[in-house]
Amino acid sequence: MIVKVVNKSKHQLPEYQTESSAGLDLRANIEDKITLKPLQRALVPTGLFMELAQGHEAQIRPRSGLAYKHGITVLNSPGTIDADYRGEIKILLVNLSEEEFVIEDGERVAQMVIAKHEQIQWLPVDTLEDSTRSAGGFGSTGKK
Ligand SMILES: O=c1ccn([C@H]2C[C@H](O)[C@@H](COP(=O)(O)OP(=O)(O)OP(=O)(O)O)O2)c(=O)[nH]1
Ligand SMILES: [Mg+2]
């Protein structure tokens, strides 16, 4: 799929790191380093603007390496980029570790997955078709 993009960052366009990667790694586009203290959050700019086709969204997800090694994750994960959004793509990072973490310009801090989605129309009714699960949830299966 071809996606129009305006790259106002100092960096190359996000790339798939391997042949079958689902996510495009997103780079921080910042003038000065950002230091995240424990439990601090920051909205990290990417310098990227894009135009997705209707029926598509972009999901901003954490990178597992940063999460595992440094406790850095995407606070609103998965962040949702709507197809009609024309603003700058930004990444909301939070530091869940007990150590400071420094974000460098150009660092790959998150990844973006493009996905198809539906938009629905409601059909208001009084009752729903029953099912085997019925209203069971939140650990209801496998119990006696
Ligand atoms: O991680 C994110 C999440 C959102 N956005 C942008 C694109 C998205 O289309 C817009 C709105 O996001 P969302 O609907 O999650 O935020 P909201 O708090 O509901 O704001 P709004 O009232 O603008 O929809 O903000 C980002 O750049 N990064
Ligand atoms: Mg919204």
Side-chain angles (χ1 to χ4, degrees):
M1 184 174 55
I2 293 185
V3 176
K4 283 190 199 168
V5 63
V6 177
N7 185 3
K8 294 188 184 173
S9 81
K10 307 182 268 315
H11 311 293
Q12 71 212 69
L13 284 173
E15 285 176 340
Y16 296 107
Q17 298 295 311
T18 66
E19 203 175 89
S20 302
S21 290
L24 297 143
D25 282 352
L26 294 174
R27 294 175 189 276
N29 186 59
I30 47 184
E31 297 316 312
D32 302 311
K33 294 175 187 185
I34 298 174
T35 301
L36 277 187
K37 295 201 173 83
L39 293 183
Q40 240 189 343
R41 57 187 187 263
L43 200 51
V44 179
T46 64
L48 298 173
F49 303 71
M50 69 178 176
E51 191 175 320
L52 286 173
Q54 199 177 6
H56 293 77
E57 56 149 345
Q59 300 172 0
I60 310 295
R61 304 187 191 176
R63 291 189 67 207
S64 62
L66 280 181
Y68 178 55
K69 292 178 200 155
H70 302 288
I72 297 297
T73 190
V74 175
L75 182 56
N76 57 329
S77 184
T80 304
I81 310 288
D82 301 290
D84 53 4
Y85 181 67
R86 299 290 179 268
E88 180 175 9
I89 297 167
K90 293 185 179 168
I91 304 161
L92 183 51
L93 292 182
V94 64
N95 179 0
L96 298 184
S97 78
E98 286 166 345
E99 314 284 328
E100 264 186 16
F101 182 77
V102 179
I103 304 166
E104 311 269 355
D105 179 47
E107 190 169 354
R108 290 177 291 138
V109 291
Q111 58 187 318
M112 179 169 74
V113 174
I114 309 295
K116 286 187 182 170
H117 72 86
E118 299 285 340
Q119 269 196 346
I120 62 158
Q121 279 134 28
W122 292 113
L123 174 63
V125 293
D126 292 327
T127 54
L128 302 172
E129 197 78 29
D130 204 4
S131 68
T132 312
R133 173 177 287 278
S134 194
F138 310 96
S140 68
T141 60
K143 279 197 204 154
K144 295 212 170 135

